[in-house]
Amino acid sequence: MYKHFIICLLLCLPGVMASAQELKVMTYNIYHGEHNYNPGNSNLQEIADIINAYKPDFVALQEVDSMTNRTAGFNNGVPKDLVQELAKLTGMHGYFAKAIDYSNGGYGEGVLSRWPSEAKRDTLPLPEGGEARALLSVTYTLPDGNQLIFAGTHLCHKSEANRIAQVEAINTVFENQAIPVIMGGDFNFRPDTEPYQVISEKFLDAAREYGKEENTIPFENPQSRIDYVFLSKGKGHKWDIKDIKVIKENPSDHMPVLVTLELLK
């Protein structure tokens, strides 16, 4: 009885028992809110249904429109802020980072967070020109007082030189970051390319670490893995990857990637 009491007391003391924070994160290119295989129709409810079914804590969203004429075209003439619409449908907090002006509105990156977070936007370089790209990061304080950064991005789809410059910039943004970073996105590169090697200097590929690499696009006949969740390699950033899943759903041409992991201390 006395031994049992001592064990219970020790477990209740701060710092005595090693602890971990389990999280679910998703990355999803949502094809500007229009159903890729049923053009002219919104895919937002289907996207929200997937998010609600798997209940991720954070979601990185790519190809996100905000109040564009394009969204009005498949929403009864009413332009939509896609991040805020998805936030309402999922009960999450929504954040948007505009990469470019588009169709009388904006186009860029979105993040959904289960909790209120502090958002930051970084512009990514374009040495060969082209469509501007952004990095959206949110910082959240975990219940145990530690902080976590969740980031999302969408790299250039045309230029390898742009992608290399963009991953170098991302590495620089987080280079001296003491806070652990989880980053999801449509990176528009395959694992056998130079941009992948560059980003791997600072980040772990969750799918490769787990040993389950699956193609993510296109839904109807997946040929490429270009959607990733990356984990920072910083000192003291320890990860236990519990599961990774490419979800076989088709509201977009991309399939969402869901990673369940623990941030170890």
Side-chain angles (χ1 to χ4, degrees):
M1 179 72 177
Y2 178 74
K3 182 179 179 181
H4 178 72
F5 171 77
I6 293 297
I7 291 172
C8 290
L9 180 62
L10 289 173
L11 291 178
C12 292
L13 291 175
V16 171
M17 183 177 64
S19 60
Q21 176 72 43
E22 183 172 289
L23 297 164
K24 284 185 180 180
V25 301
M26 179 183 286
T27 185
Y28 202 171
N29 180 319
I30 63 170
Y31 195 68
H32 61 263
E34 183 178 11
H35 204 300
N36 184 71
Y37 299 101
N38 189 12
N41 292 276
S42 171
N43 65 11
L44 286 193
Q45 186 61 59
E46 291 169 271
I47 299 288
D49 288 345
I50 293 167
I51 293 170
N52 288 331
Y54 289 93
K55 296 179 171 56
D57 298 300
F58 297 96
V59 185
L61 302 168
Q62 303 87 51
E63 294 197 23
V64 180
D65 276 19
S66 176
M67 304 305 292
T68 62
N69 292 340
R70 176 164 63 179
T71 60
F74 47 87
N75 286 284
N76 299 315
V78 180
K80 297 289 185 179
D81 182 330
L82 299 187
V83 170
Q84 292 309 316
E85 290 296 317
L86 286 171
K88 291 175 188 175
L89 291 169
T90 61
M92 300 178 77
H93 299 270
Y95 305 90
F96 175 70
K98 184 171 71 172
I100 60 171
D101 294 322
Y102 181 79
S103 187
N104 287 333
Y107 173 82
E109 312 307 312
V111 163
L112 298 176
S113 170
R114 190 66 58 192
W115 309 281
S117 303
E118 183 179 337
K120 175 177 177 284
R121 177 191 178 278
D122 288 281
T123 299
L124 299 179
L126 288 166
E128 291 195 342
E131 185 179 283
R133 301 290 175 160
L135 171 70
L136 173 60
S137 308
V138 300
T139 302
Y140 171 66
T141 302
L142 300 167
D144 61 10
N146 289 301
Q147 289 187 307
L148 170 78
I149 293 173
F150 181 78
T153 194
H154 183 193
L155 301 190
C156 179
H157 62 295
K158 290 185 176 180
S159 163
E160 182 86 339
N162 283 350
R163 287 191 290 274
I164 292 169
Q166 288 164 3
V167 293
E168 288 175 342
I170 289 168
N171 284 351
T172 299
V173 167
F174 296 121
E175 187 171 23
N176 298 312
Q177 184 57 256
I179 302 172
V181 180
I182 303 172
M183 178 172 57
D186 172 359
F187 288 83
N188 274 314
F189 58 62
R190 296 177 176 84
D192 59 351
T193 61
E194 186 175 348
Y196 181 93
Q197 300 305 316
V198 172
I199 205 164
S200 296
E201 295 170 6
K202 302 293 183 181
F203 287 88
L204 300 170
D205 174 356
R208 179 159 290 184
E209 292 296 308
Y210 188 68
K212 189 179 180 183
E213 300 179 53
E214 295 183 67
N215 292 336
T216 60
I217 184 174
F219 168 83
E220 56 193 1
N221 183 24
Q223 298 292 313
S224 299
R225 185 166 80 97
I226 61 174
D227 302 274
Y228 300 86
V229 171
F230 287 109
L231 310 172
S232 58
K233 288 183 177 180
K235 184 178 179 181
H237 301 184
K238 298 180 180 179
W239 308 96
D240 182 9
I241 303 166
K242 301 290 187 181
D243 189 37
I244 185 161
K245 184 189 302 291
V246 174
I247 300 169
K248 312 300 183 185
E249 297 283 356
N250 74 338
S252 170
D253 53 338
H254 291 249
M255 291 180 286
V257 180
L258 180 74
V259 178
T260 304
L261 72 164
E262 285 187 351
L263 172 57
L264 303 176
K265 295 189 294 179

